[in-house]
Amino acid sequence: MNQILNMVMRMVMRKMLNKGIDAGFNKAASMSSKRKQQPQGEIDDFGNPTAGPSSKQQEIRAARRAKRQGGGQGANQAKQAMKMARRAGKL
């Protein structure tokens, strides 16, 4: 009877742990999309920008934006790696 109880408790704890790990990865993956936007510069009385970003700054920002948008695949790969590690631990 004690072995059955221990087996059930291990199964429940494993499921809870896996759900917590998955939730943590999902939260970390969604953090990048919730970042606050930085102010772009000064605005005059008419709502026009007085000093806009230069073309070089725009290129750098575009490159960073493209790099961030490609990061969603990394979260999926990390999640798959965690699943594989958990499965390997069961053997």
Side-chain angles (χ1 to χ4, degrees):
M1 186 69 179
N2 193 21
Q3 289 178 341
I4 294 173
L5 187 62
N6 284 339
M7 183 177 62
V8 171
M9 286 300 295
R10 277 193 222 114
M11 186 173 61
V12 170
M13 291 301 291
R14 183 175 59 238
K15 286 186 179 185
M16 289 175 57
L17 183 68
N18 289 345
K19 283 186 181 185
I21 290 170
D22 289 342
F25 273 106
N26 290 339
K27 180 69 175 176
S30 68
M31 291 279 285
S32 64
S33 63
K34 293 183 181 180
R35 291 190 345 188
K36 294 182 179 178
Q37 295 291 328
Q38 295 291 330
Q40 293 295 323
E42 297 293 325
I43 297 177
D44 64 3
D45 294 336
F46 300 106
N48 299 323
T50 56
S54 68
S55 62
K56 180 147 179 100
Q57 287 177 335
Q58 289 176 348
E59 290 174 12
I60 293 171
R61 287 179 183 164
R64 287 180 183 164
R65 193 177 308 118
K67 186 177 179 182
R68 279 196 311 260
Q69 289 173 350
Q73 294 174 350
N76 290 335
Q77 288 176 349
K79 192 173 181 180
Q80 287 176 349
M82 288 300 294
K83 283 184 182 179
M84 294 292 283
R86 283 188 229 122
R87 288 180 186 156
K90 290 180 185 179
L91 299 176

